[in-house]
Amino acid sequence: MKTGTKVLGVVMLGVVLGGAGCAGTKEAARDVESAVPGLSQKQEGVVTNVDKDGNLIAVKSVDDPSAPPAWFALTPDTKMEREGRLVSLDDISEGTPVRVSFEPATGPEKTYKVEVLTGEKAGEVKAKAELQGQQ
């Protein structure tokens, strides 16, 4: 009986610790995704160019000011939104603060989502851009 109790105690401890570790595992996965090319990444910046004919936007990152603007291809599958509402390419212009979710690719990045930033977050991105001489 004591052996069965010990085994049950070890199993229960594993379940409790395994469940508590889930949040850490998810956070670690997000860190890996953002650091590994070929996996989804996010970038905040200011739109520097809009090519409506080619369905492309160029975004200058505020987190890496030495990098040139990155081009993002917008497809019918790209979700574009502002404050949870869908927007179109017509709602995005030069100087618009955005957060882009993408997968690195040769040429324009494969873009999953473009969030037009508003409020305090938009102000933060614009302020960073101004400090870097982008606006």
Side-chain angles (χ1 to χ4, degrees), residues 25 36 50 60 94 125:
T25 303
V36 178
V50 178
K60 179 70 173 158
E94 289 182 25
V125 170

Coordinates of all heavy atoms in Angstrom, one line a residue, residues 25 36 50 60 94 125:
T25 N 5.6 27.7 -20.5 CA 5.9 27.1 -21.7 C 5.3 27.9 -22.9 O 6.0 28.1 -23.9 CB 5.2 25.7 -21.8 OG1 5.7 24.9 -20.7 CG2 5.5 25.0 -23.1
V36 N 13.1 33.2 -34.2 CA 13.5 32.2 -35.2 C 12.9 32.6 -36.5 O 11.7 32.7 -36.6 CB 13.0 30.8 -34.8 CG1 13.4 29.8 -35.9 CG2 13.6 30.4 -33.5
V50 N 3.1 53.3 -49.0 CA 2.0 52.5 -49.4 C 1.9 52.3 -50.9 O 1.9 53.2 -51.6 CB 0.7 53.1 -48.8 CG1 -0.5 52.2 -49.2 CG2 0.7 53.3 -47.3
K60 N 8.9 51.2 -41.1 CA 10.2 51.4 -40.4 C 10.0 51.0 -39.0 O 9.2 51.6 -38.2 CB 10.6 52.9 -40.6 CG 11.9 53.3 -39.9 CD 13.1 52.7 -40.6 CE 14.3 53.2 -39.9 NZ 15.5 52.4 -40.2
E94 N 1.1 56.9 -45.1 CA 2.4 57.2 -44.6 C 2.2 57.8 -43.2 O 1.4 58.7 -43.0 CB 3.2 58.0 -45.5 CG 3.6 57.3 -46.8 CD 4.4 58.2 -47.7 OE1 5.1 59.1 -47.2 OE2 4.4 57.9 -48.9
V125 N 4.7 54.7 -30.2 CA 5.4 54.4 -31.4 C 5.8 55.7 -32.2 O 6.9 55.8 -32.7 CB 4.5 53.5 -32.3 CG1 5.1 53.3 -33.7 CG2 4.4 52.1 -31.7

